[in-house]
Amino acid sequence: SIDQTGTILVVNDAACAMFGYSREEFINNNISMICNEKDSQSHDKYMERYLRTGKRRVIGIKRPLVARRKDGSEFHVELGVSEVNLPDGKKVFCGYVRDRTQERLDKQMIRRRDAVIKDEFFTPKKEDVRGAMKRNLERATQ
């Protein structure tokens, strides 16, 4: 969970494992630490705009994006954010992150397999094409 300024308030063990930070490294730091480079530079502006306009672009919508681990490597995730209105009028945002790395690898493997199957069974082989041309030539000359 983060507050209205993007400061991390609560983090679970799964997030620590996914991003490579300890709980202590997360707490009281800005959420931009796990954003990709582009979003990291703009995250505070995104939050300010939402708090000013109330127009939702992320809240309540699952969306794919790229996140950044402690070691700097980037990976694909699905992000869901919900908003909690506190009694004092402040807002807290709870994020749910799902690592999509394996899903993307699985889809890539399926596409490759399908391409091999298509090539193997539906693309004429050179010898098949040559044989068909030879047969057509023989028929034409008879």
Side-chain angles (χ1 to χ4, degrees):
S1 295
I2 62 172
D3 67 11
Q4 295 180 173
T5 66
T7 301
I8 301 169
L9 305 172
V10 177
V11 66
N12 64 22
D13 292 340
C16 292
M18 186 182 304
F19 291 99
Y21 289 99
S22 68
R23 183 172 268 109
E24 293 75 24
E25 290 173 303
F26 265 126
I27 302 298
N28 293 322
N29 280 302
N30 192 287
I31 194 66
S32 63
M33 69 192 287
I34 62 168
C35 295
N36 65 60
E37 189 173 341
K38 175 185 168 272
D39 290 334
S40 177
Q41 297 170 2
S42 304
H43 189 271
D44 289 344
K45 292 177 192 167
Y46 297 156
M47 288 194 64
E48 288 169 15
R49 180 182 56 225
Y50 171 70
L51 293 169
R52 188 178 67 254
T53 67
K55 185 173 181 182
R56 295 176 175 212
R57 295 186 181 197
V58 175
I59 297 168
I61 302 166
K62 288 182 183 176
R63 62 181 285 186
L65 55 87
V66 176
R68 182 178 56 204
R69 295 183 183 95
K70 182 179 180 179
D71 67 7
S73 62
E74 294 186 343
F75 64 112
H76 293 270
V77 298
E78 180 179 81
L79 172 68
V81 179
S82 13
E83 178 181 7
V84 178
N85 294 303
L86 301 176
D88 63 2
K90 292 183 180 178
K91 298 175 187 291
V92 175
F93 302 93
C94 298
Y96 307 90
V97 180
R98 182 174 68 89
D99 185 340
R100 295 183 58 222
T101 303
Q102 189 61 49
E103 174 188 345
R104 291 175 59 84
L105 291 171
D106 291 345
K107 285 181 180 180
Q108 185 178 46
M109 190 92 118
I110 289 169
R111 281 193 302 272
R112 286 182 181 160
R113 183 201 64 205
D114 290 349
V116 167
I117 290 170
K118 182 179 178 185
D119 184 55
E120 184 70 27
F121 295 107
F122 298 105
T123 303
K125 305 291 182 240
K126 286 182 185 176
E127 56 274 6
D128 294 341
V129 172
R130 285 188 195 127
M133 289 173 59
K134 184 178 179 184
R135 284 189 299 278
N136 287 339
L137 184 60
E138 288 171 354
R139 281 188 213 133
T141 57
Q142 290 178 352

